[in-house]
Amino acid sequence: MLKSKTFVKKTRSGGVMKVVREHYLRDDIWCGSEVCTECKQDSAVLQRDACIESSLCPYPHYLVPDTNIVLRQIDVLEDPVIRNVIILQTVLQEVRHRSAPVYKRLKDIIHEQGRHFYTFTNEHHRETFIEREPGESANDRNDRAIRVAVKWYSQHLKTAESGSDGLKVVLLTNDQGNKLKAEENGLVVYKFDEYIKSLIGNPELVDCLALSNDDKNEVTSSKVLFPEHLPLSKVQAGIKSGSFLQGTFRASRDNYLEATVFVQGEGEDSTEVLIQGLQNLNRAVHQDVVAVQLLPKNQWVAPSSVVLQDDGAAKDDNVDEDEEEKTARRATGKVVGIIKRNWRPFCGMLNVSQIKESTRHLFTPADRHIPRIRIETRQASTLAGQRIMVAIDGWPKDSRYPNGHFVRSLGGAGEKDTEEEVLLLEHDVPHQAFSQAVLSFLPKMPWSITPEDMAQRQDLRHLTVCSVDPPGCTDIDDALHYRELENGKLEVGVHIADVSHFIRPGNALDKEAANRGTTVYLCGKRIDMVPELLSSNLCSLRSNVERFAFSCIWELNHKAEILKTRFTKSVINSKASLTYAEAQMRIDDASKNDDITKSLRGLNKLAKILKRKRIENGALTLSSLEVRFHMDSETHDPIDLQTKELVETNSMVEEFMLLANISVAQKIYDEFPESALLRKHPAPPPSNYDILIKAAKSKNVMIHTDSAKALADSLDVAKVDGFQYFNTLLRILATRCMMQAVYFCSGMDSDFHHYGLASPIYTHFTSPIRRYADIIVHRLLAVAIGADSTYPDLMDKHKQSTLCNNLNYRHKMSQYAQRASVAFHTQLFFKTRGILNEEGFVLFVRKNAIIVLIPKFGLEGTVFFDSKDKASPNLVFDEEIPGVSVPVPEAEPQAKKQKLDR
Amino acid sequence: MATVQVSEAEKVYILHGIRDDLRVDGRGCEDYRHMEVETDVVSNTDGSAKVTLGHTAVLVGIKAEIGKPRPMIANQGYLEFFVDCSANATPEFEGRGGEELGTELSNTLYKVFNNQHSLDLKSLCISPGEHCWVLYVDVLLLQCDGNLYDAISVAIKAALFNTKIPKVHISSDEEGGKEIELSDDPYDCMRLDVENVPCIVTLCKIGHRHVVDATLQEKACSVASLIISVTHKGIITCSRKVGRGSLDPESICEMIEAGKRVGKALHPPLMKLLQQEESLGNKRQKVGFLG
């Protein structure tokens, strides 16, 4: 049967269009119940004895939630207790339309076999399809559709012989009107919280209930704390007329009363608007898209340099404005409306309320950008000391904190697994095990190289190829060779694991890798981008096995100038996999004269020349502190810690990788000027260097930042006698001034320059096992040399550019996760150490705190001057001179201690 | 124009019959052939109607779009006509064969319908000088068996009656910028008042007499015909002579009188039919093109 759906919509040009869609109704849609004998379904999803013990419904029953229940209470629905649920198509579509994340979660539940969730396509069922009636709103129609479907179900299941055992269908809705109408129709209907509270076996589910708008919060003081948000239509009109600005809200890490809103302007000119004070922040949460209104110029303020943690009451008002220099004032505004909330479940800890019987508690998120959240739970005593996940439900205007609900517990705080889970979740790192669909695209084991493979590839097995990597590395994606040619020239080859041979475009494996974007290295743990079979075995260029490689082979003269470049797919057989230290030892050990050692020496010599040339061109040598932990082999607890040491061989490998990356970048750009995936590093705006210049000035050193070259040179000469670490310290600071390097698609941008490497063009080619960008570059290069065929998405610059955005995001998050992991292990390390005395350096000075760096541990921390129990020492604050001498409180919460500065 | 070959003897036969007020198919001089009207036949238009008159079949679809009012009449919307003489109707229309006829028809339709007397064009105005509804009236000839004008005009009237224009309202912000807002209820729409929409009556001069609703054979016997558009009150809004021959003033007067009479009688049954059909609402079984 054919029906048509008609609706009018506005076109982009402002016109009005009538759209008509055909809609087919069928009579072969089955109900999915085991009870039913009429429907000719192959396997029924809904069980015969659908028993959830409930005091309201003692009989077996199926649940039908309406859209709002699914949207708001998905956390409860995810609980394995809830089974035998019918999800109507109407609901599914509406959920999909309203919230993509909830939709995905719902789909996941539906796919779970043991949950018995059944999707009933009521919109296409002949008897449950309804047409919208005149004067009926879309929502009313959907509610009616749901009621009609429930009615149909209850009648359908009644007629099916089993009338006596009383299987019923229960509609769950929080909508009063809908409920009344359903009752009129003789349906069994309950409010969601009624139903959940009636569950006999599972009282803990009540905690997961999201607060609905209508149950007014008694605890909140009746006084209105925040101004009302403007309705969306007004906000949009305001943005159009320019009286409001739209931007992403970024809460300050250090001060809960301060935030910036990043307003994306046309092209390059984007501005930041400062927001100060609770009232002006107006319930915006980190990462929300908000509308801000600028305050009149005389109310503009400077960003405060106070570190403020939200301790609850009292300091609700604006930070006292004392002698602020007029110059530091910045555009200041207030939040007038929220355009899009960006709430996700947050990990953190519960602050158990002082009142024993209270069920309302505050929750402190791990992410300091996020305000505390008030939740209601009866399991406070069990949850105390655990890491839990909480979702925000809303933030009423008369409440100091947003209201939320408990989602799940991750485990005891301080336990390694729990903390690792927390930091993966907080950084949005996909870390589930690979799905069956993904694994199905792996090559079958035992895997071997076939003659066909050999025919398509150059046989380089005879070359003395070796790899140099950090100790314990199992995903070896690069290897090198070096030999002298008969014509007196030198040949150097960089061989990269041929991952794109195994990961074919568009399949589940490829999609998963593209989504993960990068492998994340945590301390003692690796979250792989591709399944282990590939990363540690088939792709990994291990020694003495035959592996596929993508080779980049140069002919160089003795001055390390490139004479010829050649790319080819090949088969190699690595002769040795060395660690940096081993390679260094071989080079230094004059008694060794085997092929491998000779190659290493040759490579090392060339690398030095290359490095010198690069530095002459203005490449920056920056520094950041990286620490390594020595792990206890059994408990996996850190037992010692050291900063990473660099040996010559590190930079040897690095030089050739850079060279390969640049050569490849040039090649793919020449071949595909519109769709090459490249990496750029924009020059930072001059203002970024302020902290660096200021810091250097304190020791009377001048830093020139006009160009990369000038910066590199002035960093080289910036030395203070008797303060050796000063130079490293400056380099650390310089690193922080830099912009993020990003992937981009050459067709979408015109500025390709890589500032840090001083290269006009750059890409990533050398680590396809752990970076997805490299896989794309491999594919592009393979097409360029005719070794592989292309596919449409590869040449689509818009698709490329979306991919780049994801890769950049994943890359950034993985770095944060890595840092967080190091920080956590540092904490673990200090847990057992007690008080230590170490040398530290003051990085920044704030009004009431200093930020201190301890190089030995690569640790950075905030030291407050005014501890709670002690009066603050008398200080003179002068931002110009980082390096005040003050006595520092002896006991720091983290049981580590600093001796200060010189 | 679609033509048929008629021999001299046949012509004489037709001519004599008409002289005696008895036409080949048994009708009187002022009788129409059997007419069928159905509205709402094309779902993706805003209004549509299909009319068959004898073997003549036309389909009219109306699309409402937002446009800019004509500069001289800022407070009115307007209609645009396009007549598609498809080769389905007759092989002569193949290629660009129907173009000339199409233009001629649409010019006439424009004169007849696009004025304030026929249709309240002011109701099509959204905001004076800026936005108005433009009704694109597309006429498709499905089969030609004479008397296209009358069939088309009835179909247009029916389609206009059927037209549902989505209601919009203009919201303006403080800066004076205007924004068109659309209701999300597809039933929330505006209807047109078609009371004054005229119907066209074509009178064919055959011999000394004239007939309405001439078939192709009859048309072949005629040298000239008069087109007049008549409202339900019997007011003539437009008249035109087509054909190569000439008409003497006396017979023009006669023809106009006859046209008025016929035209006036045409409206009430048509309106009655349309309202009847409308009242059936969604439950009506559509006949469409296969019925």
Side-chain angles (χ1 to χ4, degrees), chain A residues 10 16 18 20 132-135 240-241, chain B residues 43-45 66 175 179-180 184-187:
Chain A
K10 225 165 83 171
V16 170
K18 183 175 173 186
V20 180
R132 187 165 163 182
E133 279 169 5
K240 230 175 199 177
S241 69
Chain B
S43 57
N44 50 2
T45 59
I66 292 178
E175 307 285 306
E179 179 87 4
I180 292 174
D184 78 322
D185 183 359
Y187 291 98

mmCIF file with all atom_site columns, all heavy atoms in Angstrom, chain A residues 10 16 18 20 132-135 240-241, chain B residues 43-45 66 175 179-180 184-187:
data_model
loop_
_atom_site.group_PDB
_atom_site.id
_atom_site.type_symbol
_atom_site.label_atom_id
_atom_site.label_alt_id
_atom_site.label_comp_id
_atom_site.label_asym_id
_atom_site.label_entity_id
_atom_site.label_seq_id
_atom_site.pdbx_PDB_ins_code
_atom_site.Cartn_x
_atom_site.Cartn_y
_atom_site.Cartn_z
_atom_site.occupancy
_atom_site.B_iso_or_equiv
_atom_site.pdbx_formal_charge
_atom_site.auth_seq_id
_atom_site.auth_comp_id
_atom_site.auth_asym_id
_atom_site.auth_atom_id
_atom_site.pdbx_PDB_model_num
ATOM 1   N N   . LYS A 1 10  ? 11.877 25.068 4.196  1.00 0.00 ? 10  LYS A N   1
ATOM 2   C CA  . LYS A 1 10  ? 12.474 26.296 3.677  1.00 0.00 ? 10  LYS A CA  1
ATOM 3   C C   . LYS A 1 10  ? 13.767 25.938 2.989  1.00 0.00 ? 10  LYS A C   1
ATOM 4   O O   . LYS A 1 10  ? 14.564 25.160 3.504  1.00 0.00 ? 10  LYS A O   1
ATOM 5   C CB  . LYS A 1 10  ? 12.755 27.238 4.850  1.00 0.00 ? 10  LYS A CB  1
ATOM 6   C CG  . LYS A 1 10  ? 12.338 28.646 4.559  1.00 0.00 ? 10  LYS A CG  1
ATOM 7   C CD  . LYS A 1 10  ? 12.280 29.451 5.827  1.00 0.00 ? 10  LYS A CD  1
ATOM 8   C CE  . LYS A 1 10  ? 13.664 29.943 6.187  1.00 0.00 ? 10  LYS A CE  1
ATOM 9   N NZ  . LYS A 1 10  ? 13.636 30.893 7.294  1.00 0.00 ? 10  LYS A NZ  1
ATOM 10  N N   . VAL A 1 16  ? 10.344 28.476 -0.349 1.00 0.00 ? 16  VAL A N   1
ATOM 11  C CA  . VAL A 1 16  ? 9.607  27.447 0.377  1.00 0.00 ? 16  VAL A CA  1
ATOM 12  C C   . VAL A 1 16  ? 9.367  26.301 -0.583 1.00 0.00 ? 16  VAL A C   1
ATOM 13  O O   . VAL A 1 16  ? 8.985  26.509 -1.724 1.00 0.00 ? 16  VAL A O   1
ATOM 14  C CB  . VAL A 1 16  ? 8.272  28.016 0.889  1.00 0.00 ? 16  VAL A CB  1
ATOM 15  C CG1 . VAL A 1 16  ? 7.399  26.899 1.427  1.00 0.00 ? 16  VAL A CG1 1
ATOM 16  C CG2 . VAL A 1 16  ? 8.524  29.049 1.953  1.00 0.00 ? 16  VAL A CG2 1
ATOM 17  N N   . LYS A 1 18  ? 7.827  22.367 -1.303 1.00 0.00 ? 18  LYS A N   1
ATOM 18  C CA  . LYS A 1 18  ? 6.979  21.278 -0.844 1.00 0.00 ? 18  LYS A CA  1
ATOM 19  C C   . LYS A 1 18  ? 7.652  19.967 -1.222 1.00 0.00 ? 18  LYS A C   1
ATOM 20  O O   . LYS A 1 18  ? 8.061  19.782 -2.367 1.00 0.00 ? 18  LYS A O   1
ATOM 21  C CB  . LYS A 1 18  ? 5.612  21.383 -1.520 1.00 0.00 ? 18  LYS A CB  1
ATOM 22  C CG  . LYS A 1 18  ? 4.632  20.335 -1.038 1.00 0.00 ? 18  LYS A CG  1
ATOM 23  C CD  . LYS A 1 18  ? 3.267  20.564 -1.649 1.00 0.00 ? 18  LYS A CD  1
ATOM 24  C CE  . LYS A 1 18  ? 2.341  19.424 -1.310 1.00 0.00 ? 18  LYS A CE  1
ATOM 25  N NZ  . LYS A 1 18  ? 1.064  19.533 -1.983 1.00 0.00 ? 18  LYS A NZ  1
ATOM 26  N N   . VAL A 1 20  ? 7.452  15.826 -1.256 1.00 0.00 ? 20  VAL A N   1
ATOM 27  C CA  . VAL A 1 20  ? 6.558  14.677 -1.126 1.00 0.00 ? 20  VAL A CA  1
ATOM 28  C C   . VAL A 1 20  ? 7.392  13.413 -1.187 1.00 0.00 ? 20  VAL A C   1
ATOM 29  O O   . VAL A 1 20  ? 8.221  13.245 -2.074 1.00 0.00 ? 20  VAL A O   1
ATOM 30  C CB  . VAL A 1 20  ? 5.515  14.662 -2.259 1.00 0.00 ? 20  VAL A CB  1
ATOM 31  C CG1 . VAL A 1 20  ? 4.608  13.455 -2.107 1.00 0.00 ? 20  VAL A CG1 1
ATOM 32  C CG2 . VAL A 1 20  ? 4.726  15.932 -2.244 1.00 0.00 ? 20  VAL A CG2 1
ATOM 33  N N   . ARG A 1 132 ? -0.839 12.358 9.875  1.00 0.00 ? 132 ARG A N   1
ATOM 34  C CA  . ARG A 1 132 ? -1.009 13.517 10.733 1.00 0.00 ? 132 ARG A CA  1
ATOM 35  C C   . ARG A 1 132 ? -2.339 14.176 10.412 1.00 0.00 ? 132 ARG A C   1
ATOM 36  O O   . ARG A 1 132 ? -2.721 14.302 9.253  1.00 0.00 ? 132 ARG A O   1
ATOM 37  C CB  . ARG A 1 132 ? 0.127  14.487 10.442 1.00 0.00 ? 132 ARG A CB  1
ATOM 38  C CG  . ARG A 1 132 ? 0.164  15.655 11.377 1.00 0.00 ? 132 ARG A CG  1
ATOM 39  C CD  . ARG A 1 132 ? 1.504  16.307 11.227 1.00 0.00 ? 132 ARG A CD  1
ATOM 40  N NE  . ARG A 1 132 ? 1.481  17.646 11.781 1.00 0.00 ? 132 ARG A NE  1
ATOM 41  C CZ  . ARG A 1 132 ? 2.507  18.455 11.752 1.00 0.00 ? 132 ARG A CZ  1
ATOM 42  N NH1 . ARG A 1 132 ? 3.625  18.072 11.174 1.00 0.00 ? 132 ARG A NH1 1
ATOM 43  N NH2 . ARG A 1 132 ? 2.445  19.650 12.281 1.00 0.00 ? 132 ARG A NH2 1
ATOM 44  N N   . GLU A 1 133 ? -3.035 14.577 11.444 1.00 0.00 ? 133 GLU A N   1
ATOM 45  C CA  . GLU A 1 133 ? -4.333 15.175 11.225 1.00 0.00 ? 133 GLU A CA  1
ATOM 46  C C   . GLU A 1 133 ? -4.233 16.687 11.257 1.00 0.00 ? 133 GLU A C   1
ATOM 47  O O   . GLU A 1 133 ? -3.301 17.233 11.835 1.00 0.00 ? 133 GLU A O   1
ATOM 48  C CB  . GLU A 1 133 ? -5.307 14.684 12.301 1.00 0.00 ? 133 GLU A CB  1
ATOM 49  C CG  . GLU A 1 133 ? -5.843 13.328 11.942 1.00 0.00 ? 133 GLU A CG  1
ATOM 50  C CD  . GLU A 1 133 ? -6.578 12.689 13.068 1.00 0.00 ? 133 GLU A CD  1
ATOM 51  O OE1 . GLU A 1 133 ? -6.745 13.339 14.105 1.00 0.00 ? 133 GLU A OE1 1
ATOM 52  O OE2 . GLU A 1 133 ? -6.971 11.528 12.889 1.00 0.00 ? 133 GLU A OE2 1
ATOM 53  N N   . PRO A 1 134 ? -5.230 17.349 10.642 1.00 0.00 ? 134 PRO A N   1
ATOM 54  C CA  . PRO A 1 134 ? -5.200 18.811 10.667 1.00 0.00 ? 134 PRO A CA  1
ATOM 55  C C   . PRO A 1 134 ? -5.165 19.299 12.117 1.00 0.00 ? 134 PRO A C   1
ATOM 56  O O   . PRO A 1 134 ? -5.862 18.765 12.979 1.00 0.00 ? 134 PRO A O   1
ATOM 57  C CB  . PRO A 1 134 ? -6.506 19.211 9.993  1.00 0.00 ? 134 PRO A CB  1
ATOM 58  C CG  . PRO A 1 134 ? -6.895 18.046 9.169  1.00 0.00 ? 134 PRO A CG  1
ATOM 59  C CD  . PRO A 1 134 ? -6.357 16.840 9.854  1.00 0.00 ? 134 PRO A CD  1
ATOM 60  N N   . GLY A 1 135 ? -4.336 20.282 12.364 1.00 0.00 ? 135 GLY A N   1
ATOM 61  C CA  . GLY A 1 135 ? -4.284 20.882 13.691 1.00 0.00 ? 135 GLY A CA  1
ATOM 62  C C   . GLY A 1 135 ? -3.475 20.089 14.693 1.00 0.00 ? 135 GLY A C   1
ATOM 63  O O   . GLY A 1 135 ? -3.413 20.439 15.859 1.00 0.00 ? 135 GLY A O   1
ATOM 64  N N   . LYS A 1 240 ? 22.778 37.243 13.963 1.00 0.00 ? 240 LYS A N   1
ATOM 65  C CA  . LYS A 1 240 ? 22.678 37.747 12.598 1.00 0.00 ? 240 LYS A CA  1
ATOM 66  C C   . LYS A 1 240 ? 22.926 39.253 12.560 1.00 0.00 ? 240 LYS A C   1
ATOM 67  O O   . LYS A 1 240 ? 23.612 39.768 11.695 1.00 0.00 ? 240 LYS A O   1
ATOM 68  C CB  . LYS A 1 240 ? 21.288 37.435 12.038 1.00 0.00 ? 240 LYS A CB  1
ATOM 69  C CG  . LYS A 1 240 ? 21.368 36.772 10.698 1.00 0.00 ? 240 LYS A CG  1
ATOM 70  C CD  . LYS A 1 240 ? 19.995 36.378 10.239 1.00 0.00 ? 240 LYS A CD  1
ATOM 71  C CE  . LYS A 1 240 ? 20.108 35.333 9.150  1.00 0.00 ? 240 LYS A CE  1
ATOM 72  N NZ  . LYS A 1 240 ? 18.794 34.884 8.747  1.00 0.00 ? 240 LYS A NZ  1
ATOM 73  N N   . SER A 1 241 ? 22.335 39.939 13.518 1.00 0.00 ? 241 SER A N   1
ATOM 74  C CA  . SER A 1 241 ? 22.468 41.391 13.501 1.00 0.00 ? 241 SER A CA  1
ATOM 75  C C   . SER A 1 241 ? 23.807 41.833 14.086 1.00 0.00 ? 241 SER A C   1
ATOM 76  O O   . SER A 1 241 ? 24.160 42.998 14.037 1.00 0.00 ? 241 SER A O   1
ATOM 77  C CB  . SER A 1 241 ? 21.326 42.015 14.293 1.00 0.00 ? 241 SER A CB  1
ATOM 78  O OG  . SER A 1 241 ? 21.487 41.714 15.656 1.00 0.00 ? 241 SER A OG  1
ATOM 79  N N   . SER B 2 43  ? 0.625  14.972 -6.313 1.00 0.00 ? 43  SER B N   1
ATOM 80  C CA  . SER B 2 43  ? 0.827  15.297 -4.904 1.00 0.00 ? 43  SER B CA  1
ATOM 81  C C   . SER B 2 43  ? 1.947  16.301 -4.676 1.00 0.00 ? 43  SER B C   1
ATOM 82  O O   . SER B 2 43  ? 1.938  17.006 -3.678 1.00 0.00 ? 43  SER B O   1
ATOM 83  C CB  . SER B 2 43  ? 1.095  14.027 -4.120 1.00 0.00 ? 43  SER B CB  1
ATOM 84  O OG  . SER B 2 43  ? 2.216  13.373 -4.664 1.00 0.00 ? 43  SER B OG  1
ATOM 85  N N   . ASN B 2 44  ? 2.920  16.368 -5.569 1.00 0.00 ? 44  ASN B N   1
ATOM 86  C CA  . ASN B 2 44  ? 3.981  17.320 -5.268 1.00 0.00 ? 44  ASN B CA  1
ATOM 87  C C   . ASN B 2 44  ? 3.762  18.732 -5.815 1.00 0.00 ? 44  ASN B C   1
ATOM 88  O O   . ASN B 2 44  ? 4.672  19.541 -5.845 1.00 0.00 ? 44  ASN B O   1
ATOM 89  C CB  . ASN B 2 44  ? 5.350  16.779 -5.676 1.00 0.00 ? 44  ASN B CB  1
ATOM 90  C CG  . ASN B 2 44  ? 5.347  16.256 -7.073 1.00 0.00 ? 44  ASN B CG  1
ATOM 91  O OD1 . ASN B 2 44  ? 4.329  16.333 -7.758 1.00 0.00 ? 44  ASN B OD1 1
ATOM 92  N ND2 . ASN B 2 44  ? 6.469  15.724 -7.511 1.00 0.00 ? 44  ASN B ND2 1
ATOM 93  N N   . THR B 2 45  ? 2.547  19.022 -6.219 1.00 0.00 ? 45  THR B N   1
ATOM 94  C CA  . THR B 2 45  ? 2.218  20.413 -6.511 1.00 0.00 ? 45  THR B CA  1
ATOM 95  C C   . THR B 2 45  ? 1.430  20.965 -5.330 1.00 0.00 ? 45  THR B C   1
ATOM 96  O O   . THR B 2 45  ? 1.024  20.227 -4.448 1.00 0.00 ? 45  THR B O   1
ATOM 97  C CB  . THR B 2 45  ? 1.336  20.522 -7.758 1.00 0.00 ? 45  THR B CB  1
ATOM 98  O OG1 . THR B 2 45  ? 0.149  19.771 -7.503 1.00 0.00 ? 45  THR B OG1 1
ATOM 99  C CG2 . THR B 2 45  ? 2.018  19.985 -8.988 1.00 0.00 ? 45  THR B CG2 1
ATOM 100 N N   . ILE B 2 66  ? 8.031  31.590 -3.442 1.00 0.00 ? 66  ILE B N   1
ATOM 101 C CA  . ILE B 2 66  ? 8.192  32.955 -2.947 1.00 0.00 ? 66  ILE B CA  1
ATOM 102 C C   . ILE B 2 66  ? 9.059  33.744 -3.916 1.00 0.00 ? 66  ILE B C   1
ATOM 103 O O   . ILE B 2 66  ? 10.127 33.286 -4.313 1.00 0.00 ? 66  ILE B O   1
ATOM 104 C CB  . ILE B 2 66  ? 8.809  32.951 -1.542 1.00 0.00 ? 66  ILE B CB  1
ATOM 105 C CG1 . ILE B 2 66  ? 7.803  32.366 -0.565 1.00 0.00 ? 66  ILE B CG1 1
ATOM 106 C CG2 . ILE B 2 66  ? 9.206  34.352 -1.106 1.00 0.00 ? 66  ILE B CG2 1
ATOM 107 C CD1 . ILE B 2 66  ? 8.280  32.259 0.840  1.00 0.00 ? 66  ILE B CD1 1
ATOM 108 N N   . GLU B 2 175 ? 16.905 45.246 13.679 1.00 0.00 ? 175 GLU B N   1
ATOM 109 C CA  . GLU B 2 175 ? 17.681 45.892 12.620 1.00 0.00 ? 175 GLU B CA  1
ATOM 110 C C   . GLU B 2 175 ? 16.844 46.092 11.350 1.00 0.00 ? 175 GLU B C   1
ATOM 111 O O   . GLU B 2 175 ? 17.305 46.667 10.384 1.00 0.00 ? 175 GLU B O   1
ATOM 112 C CB  . GLU B 2 175 ? 18.894 45.037 12.254 1.00 0.00 ? 175 GLU B CB  1
ATOM 113 C CG  . GLU B 2 175 ? 19.748 44.653 13.434 1.00 0.00 ? 175 GLU B CG  1
ATOM 114 C CD  . GLU B 2 175 ? 20.578 45.813 13.938 1.00 0.00 ? 175 GLU B CD  1
ATOM 115 O OE1 . GLU B 2 175 ? 21.300 46.411 13.131 1.00 0.00 ? 175 GLU B OE1 1
ATOM 116 O OE2 . GLU B 2 175 ? 20.480 46.135 15.141 1.00 0.00 ? 175 GLU B OE2 1
ATOM 117 N N   . GLU B 2 179 ? 12.654 37.985 8.193  1.00 0.00 ? 179 GLU B N   1
ATOM 118 C CA  . GLU B 2 179 ? 12.900 36.556 8.110  1.00 0.00 ? 179 GLU B CA  1
ATOM 119 C C   . GLU B 2 179 ? 11.570 35.873 7.891  1.00 0.00 ? 179 GLU B C   1
ATOM 120 O O   . GLU B 2 179 ? 10.583 36.186 8.550  1.00 0.00 ? 179 GLU B O   1
ATOM 121 C CB  . GLU B 2 179 ? 13.527 36.117 9.431  1.00 0.00 ? 179 GLU B CB  1
ATOM 122 C CG  . GLU B 2 179 ? 13.833 34.675 9.533  1.00 0.00 ? 179 GLU B CG  1
ATOM 123 C CD  . GLU B 2 179 ? 15.209 34.339 8.971  1.00 0.00 ? 179 GLU B CD  1
ATOM 124 O OE1 . GLU B 2 179 ? 15.931 35.275 8.584  1.00 0.00 ? 179 GLU B OE1 1
ATOM 125 O OE2 . GLU B 2 179 ? 15.518 33.169 8.909  1.00 0.00 ? 179 GLU B OE2 1
ATOM 126 N N   . ILE B 2 180 ? 11.530 34.957 6.930  1.00 0.00 ? 180 ILE B N   1
ATOM 127 C CA  . ILE B 2 180 ? 10.276 34.256 6.677  1.00 0.00 ? 180 ILE B CA  1
ATOM 128 C C   . ILE B 2 180 ? 10.221 33.020 7.551  1.00 0.00 ? 180 ILE B C   1
ATOM 129 O O   . ILE B 2 180 ? 11.168 32.238 7.592  1.00 0.00 ? 180 ILE B O   1
ATOM 130 C CB  . ILE B 2 180 ? 10.180 33.882 5.198  1.00 0.00 ? 180 ILE B CB  1
ATOM 131 C CG1 . ILE B 2 180 ? 10.037 35.156 4.386  1.00 0.00 ? 180 ILE B CG1 1
ATOM 132 C CG2 . ILE B 2 180 ? 9.030  32.944 4.949  1.00 0.00 ? 180 ILE B CG2 1
ATOM 133 C CD1 . ILE B 2 180 ? 10.085 34.947 2.925  1.00 0.00 ? 180 ILE B CD1 1
ATOM 134 N N   . ASP B 2 184 ? 5.227  24.400 10.920 1.00 0.00 ? 184 ASP B N   1
ATOM 135 C CA  . ASP B 2 184 ? 5.637  23.021 10.627 1.00 0.00 ? 184 ASP B CA  1
ATOM 136 C C   . ASP B 2 184 ? 4.430  22.107 10.422 1.00 0.00 ? 184 ASP B C   1
ATOM 137 O O   . ASP B 2 184 ? 4.580  20.927 10.192 1.00 0.00 ? 184 ASP B O   1
ATOM 138 C CB  . ASP B 2 184 ? 6.551  22.473 11.733 1.00 0.00 ? 184 ASP B CB  1
ATOM 139 C CG  . ASP B 2 184 ? 5.768  22.064 12.967 1.00 0.00 ? 184 ASP B CG  1
ATOM 140 O OD1 . ASP B 2 184 ? 4.811  22.790 13.287 1.00 0.00 ? 184 ASP B OD1 1
ATOM 141 O OD2 . ASP B 2 184 ? 6.104  21.041 13.582 1.00 0.00 ? 184 ASP B OD2 1
ATOM 142 N N   . ASP B 2 185 ? 3.243  22.678 10.491 1.00 0.00 ? 185 ASP B N   1
ATOM 143 C CA  . ASP B 2 185 ? 2.048  21.876 10.275 1.00 0.00 ? 185 ASP B CA  1
ATOM 144 C C   . ASP B 2 185 ? 1.656  21.938 8.804  1.00 0.00 ? 185 ASP B C   1
ATOM 145 O O   . ASP B 2 185 ? 1.317  23.001 8.290  1.00 0.00 ? 185 ASP B O   1
ATOM 146 C CB  . ASP B 2 185 ? 0.912  22.430 11.154 1.00 0.00 ? 185 ASP B CB  1
ATOM 147 C CG  . ASP B 2 185 ? -0.343 21.580 11.028 1.00 0.00 ? 185 ASP B CG  1
ATOM 148 O OD1 . ASP B 2 185 ? -0.321 20.600 10.263 1.00 0.00 ? 185 ASP B OD1 1
ATOM 149 O OD2 . ASP B 2 185 ? -1.337 21.914 11.696 1.00 0.00 ? 185 ASP B OD2 1
ATOM 150 N N   . PRO B 2 186 ? 1.714  20.823 8.096  1.00 0.00 ? 186 PRO B N   1
ATOM 151 C CA  . PRO B 2 186 ? 1.396  20.873 6.666  1.00 0.00 ? 186 PRO B CA  1
ATOM 152 C C   . PRO B 2 186 ? -0.060 21.252 6.390  1.00 0.00 ? 186 PRO B C   1
ATOM 153 O O   . PRO B 2 186 ? -0.406 21.617 5.278  1.00 0.00 ? 186 PRO B O   1
ATOM 154 C CB  . PRO B 2 186 ? 1.711  19.466 6.176  1.00 0.00 ? 186 PRO B CB  1
ATOM 155 C CG  . PRO B 2 186 ? 1.811  18.616 7.374  1.00 0.00 ? 186 PRO B CG  1
ATOM 156 C CD  . PRO B 2 186 ? 2.155  19.500 8.510  1.00 0.00 ? 186 PRO B CD  1
ATOM 157 N N   . TYR B 2 187 ? -0.900 21.169 7.424  1.00 0.00 ? 187 TYR B N   1
ATOM 158 C CA  . TYR B 2 187 ? -2.303 21.533 7.201  1.00 0.00 ? 187 TYR B CA  1
ATOM 159 C C   . TYR B 2 187 ? -2.551 23.021 7.390  1.00 0.00 ? 187 TYR B C   1
ATOM 160 O O   . TYR B 2 187 ? -3.633 23.515 7.139  1.00 0.00 ? 187 TYR B O   1
ATOM 161 C CB  . TYR B 2 187 ? -3.211 20.755 8.158  1.00 0.00 ? 187 TYR B CB  1
ATOM 162 C CG  . TYR B 2 187 ? -3.262 19.282 7.847  1.00 0.00 ? 187 TYR B CG  1
ATOM 163 C CD1 . TYR B 2 187 ? -2.471 18.378 8.539  1.00 0.00 ? 187 TYR B CD1 1
ATOM 164 C CD2 . TYR B 2 187 ? -4.102 18.807 6.853  1.00 0.00 ? 187 TYR B CD2 1
ATOM 165 C CE1 . TYR B 2 187 ? -2.510 17.030 8.247  1.00 0.00 ? 187 TYR B CE1 1
ATOM 166 C CE2 . TYR B 2 187 ? -4.148 17.457 6.560  1.00 0.00 ? 187 TYR B CE2 1
ATOM 167 C CZ  . TYR B 2 187 ? -3.358 16.572 7.256  1.00 0.00 ? 187 TYR B CZ  1
ATOM 168 O OH  . TYR B 2 187 ? -3.408 15.247 6.962  1.00 0.00 ? 187 TYR B OH  1
#
